[in-house]
Amino acid sequence: MNGGLTLDLGHGLSTALRLRFLDDRPAIEDRSLIARGYTLLDLIARWRWRNVEASLALLNLTDTDWREAQFADTSCVRREVVPGGFPPKGNPGRNGFRFPCVAQPGKQTDHPLEPAPDIHFTPGNPLGVRAGITVFF
């Protein structure tokens, strides 16, 4: 959901309160991984005089910890990666991992067991301020 309220104060001045909401949702078909939802509030003020507009925006007013992009993917952490290929030499149970990953791009699915999927995400921006000037012509 994306919505907001705008108040025109006259003399070219306006303010707006914007809301963006995205609920928790399944990240994969079997619904075993859930992408986390969020609610964001932004406050925007604008002043326009002839063909010039100045704006000030307070973004993420509540300083919500949110995830901008979320994907379900399989991957390996650094301690699980074995250079060269699979099977590794020696005991595959060393260093606390059972089935290591192969350090070859595009070959991460070549192990005896498929790695478990997990959520990979891009963190959203914290509380921020944005100012701008726009010239219309």
Side-chain angles (χ1 to χ4, degrees), residues 51-101:
N51 65 333
V52 177
E53 181 180 84
S55 63
L56 180 66
L58 300 174
L59 306 171
N60 192 4
L61 281 176
T62 57
D63 200 20
T64 301
D65 179 27
W66 64 293
R67 296 174 174 185
E68 189 165 1
Q70 299 178 69
F71 305 96
D73 203 357
T74 57
S75 65
C76 303
V77 294
R78 183 175 298 231
R79 68 180 175 82
E80 295 174 327
V81 176
V82 174
F86 193 84
K89 294 180 182 175
N91 180 7
R94 72 184 190 285
N95 298 330
F97 63 88
R98 184 167 176 194
F99 295 102
C101 296

Side-chain angles (χ1 to χ4, degrees), residues 1 8 13 15 19 29 35-36 46 63-64 69 74 102 113 118 135:
M1 177 182 82
D8 186 358
L13 185 61
T15 61
L19 172 78
E29 293 82 12
R36 195 170 78 192
R46 290 190 175 108
D63 200 20
T64 301
T74 57
V102 179
L113 294 178
D118 199 2
V135 178

